Structure formats: structure tokens, C-alpha cells
Amino acid sequence: MTKSNSRGTLVAGNWKMFKNLAEARQLATDILAGLPRQESTRPTVGFFPNAVALAAVAEAANGRESQVLVGAQNLYHEPEGAFTGEISADMILSAGARGVVLGHSERRHIFGETSEQVGRKVARALEAGLIPVLCVGETLEEREDGRTENVVEEQLLGGLADLSPEAASRVVIAYEPVWAIGTGKTATPEQGQAVQQFLRTRLGDHLGSAELADGIQILYGGSVKPANAKDLIAQPDIDGFLVGGASLDADSFLKICAATA
Ligand code: PGA
């Protein structure tokens, strides 16, 4: 399958648990100042700050919604209730945000989220009208045991469980090999492409439509930097990036955006 122009590219910054309110607002402002204005059918840039900073970052991006997707890093699948410490899809929307990262490897490995829980969150996000970015990825041990495809497939299908093909086609997927996250060890473009092509093929089987799968954005994440972005984005099934460390600095994030333009 070749890269279809209709998918476009998305470079999303996962700011993780970095930047307080003032710092997050400043980072958004600095990136927006350096980003050439553009109207697009799908956002090309994403900011995923912590929940405290979400409204301020959404406000900074006000008027540039067609270009910039602002989102949260997690949600809880219930509409509301006695769930101390959690945030709901409606709360995210009320902050002016329209996206949410779900099933990030730090959520899975540090906080023990299962694919079943992630699936409920993805379904809730879509129901509420948020764009979910569903993350999948294998650990080093799983890769060395030859289980990469089994692991990402289980996470992919668990994340899309019970969705209609039409709903599932609105999800953005991010392939993030756990061994490449925050380690400086990027997957080679060929390693990224191989898994992302596998994911697209499985999406086609699962949705019963290669055409729908061909329209789904699959991002790569794991030590993406200005220096490696160009080679990675040249791969046919890499439609953009989920960037951690390098998204915390406006200049390096803008360089990655420019590499994909
Ligand atoms: P990294 O993080 O770019 O710092 O490796 C990526 C991510 O966790 O989304």
C-alpha cells in the first residue's frame, strides 16, 4: 500500500508531565508564532499538554483549529461520577480541546492499563466527539522474542474493540516501540515502516476495507528528532509523529514540523 496524499501528516507533541501552566502556554505561543498559518482539512500539528494546562493551550491555539489539534493525555471512560483523580471526555471538550492520547506505553506499563480499558476509553472519546490517538508498541524483550506483531495487534484490536468500521476509521494510531521512547534509540525507518505497514494491513482486515485502512493516519513515536524526521517521514506508512522530548522545545518541534511539510 502506498502513502495516500489524502491522509496528510500530523506532528503531535506529547508534553507528558512537563511544563506548568505558564510554561505550557508559552510553549504553545512560541510554536504557533513559528508555524506558518495554513488551513487544512485535517490538523497537521498537535499539542498534548497536561490537564491543568489544557484550557490555556487550547486558548492559545484559538482560531487555528483547522491546523492545530489540542488534546489531553488520558481520560476515564465514564461520563462522570465518583472517580477521584480522573477526567472525562466532556471535561476535555469543555477546556476547548478536541483530541486525546490513549494507551500510551507509560499508561500501560507504569499505571497498568490493559487493552480492554484502553478500548473503553477510545470508544468513549469517539462517542463524545474527540479524536483519539491510540498508541501501541512492543517492549525490547517482546521484540527480541519475535512477538512484536502479536503485541501490537493485540493492542490495536483491543483499542478498537466494539467500534463500527466507520468509527474506527476516525482513530489516529501511533506506533511507539517502547524501547525507542525517551532512550535516544529511534527505530530505523525500515523497522518503523515494517510495523506500520503490518498495522495498516491488520486494520484493513479488521475493518473489512482496505480503503478505510488506507485513510487512517499512523504516526511513529520514539526519539523523533529534527535529524531523523526526514528519513522516517519518507516511509510510505509513516504519516507523522508523536514526539516526546523534542516537542518540549519550540525550535526543535518546529524543525520536525518543517521536515514533514
Ligand atoms: P520521545 O517520546 O520522543 O521522548 O521518545 C515519545 C512518546 O512517548 O510519545
Side-chain angles (χ1 to χ4, degrees):
M1 221 171 285
T2 54
K3 188 182 267 185
S4 121
N5 286 334
S6 66
R7 288 205 291 271
T9 57
L10 172 64
V11 180
N14 171 12
W15 299 355
K16 307 194 180 186
M17 200 175 77
F18 292 102
K19 307 285 178 189
N20 66 24
L21 176 59
E23 291 164 346
R25 185 191 284 120
Q26 190 62 50
L27 178 59
T29 307
D30 292 346
I31 294 170
L32 288 163
L35 197 66
R37 265 182 193 271
Q38 164 198 351
E39 293 289 324
S40 42
T41 46
R42 279 178 125 169
T44 54
V45 173
F47 300 154
F48 291 84
N50 66 74
V52 170
L54 197 54
V57 170
E59 196 187 331
N62 199 7
R64 294 180 76 172
E65 288 83 0
S66 83
Q67 182 178 20
V68 181
L69 176 68
V70 176
Q73 298 173 8
N74 192 18
L75 60 69
Y76 192 60
H77 69 271
E78 293 288 350
E80 65 178 3
F83 304 107
T84 302
E86 297 295 318
I87 60 171
S88 71
D90 289 344
M91 290 169 190
I92 293 169
L93 287 164
S94 74
R98 293 174 304 127
V100 61
V101 167
L102 293 171
H104 188 276
S105 73
E106 287 146 21
R107 299 296 323 164
R108 294 179 193 266
H109 295 290
I110 303 174
F111 301 101
E113 279 186 19
T114 63
S115 290
E116 194 195 339
Q117 289 169 326
V118 175
R120 272 188 241 135
K121 293 178 182 210
V122 172
R124 177 67 199 130
L126 286 169
E127 189 185 42
L130 289 167
I131 299 173
V133 179
L134 168 64
C135 305
V136 303
E138 82 288 1
T139 63
L140 185 59
E141 192 189 342
E142 290 162 344
R143 172 165 282 260
E144 287 174 345
D145 286 354
R147 288 190 285 132
T148 297
E149 291 190 349
N150 293 347
V151 169
V152 297
E153 177 171 9
E154 185 274 327
Q155 293 174 344
L156 177 76
L157 300 185
L160 301 179
D162 302 327
L163 296 180
S164 68
E166 185 282 322
S169 72
R170 285 185 278 133
V171 177
V172 175
I173 309 293
Y175 168 56
E176 300 202 299
V178 179
W179 48 272
I181 295 178
T183 58
K185 278 192 219 148
T186 324
T188 63
E190 294 72 26
Q191 284 173 322
Q193 168 59 23
V195 178
Q196 305 210 183
Q197 186 176 37
F198 169 77
L199 288 169
R200 195 176 308 284
T201 305
R202 291 300 293 117
L203 278 169
D205 299 341
H206 179 69
L207 305 179
S209 162
E211 201 185 326
L212 276 183
D214 203 38
I216 295 179
Q217 285 181 323
I218 307 181
L219 315 182
Y220 167 80
S223 298
V224 175
K225 306 274 180 270
N228 57 30
K230 256 217 138 55
D231 287 345
L232 288 162
I233 200 70
Q235 296 296 321
D237 288 291
I238 297 183
D239 303 317
F241 302 120
L242 187 55
V243 187
S247 72
L248 298 173
D249 173 73
D251 189 49
S252 65
F253 186 72
L254 284 166
K255 284 190 177 126
I256 295 170
C257 295
T260 67

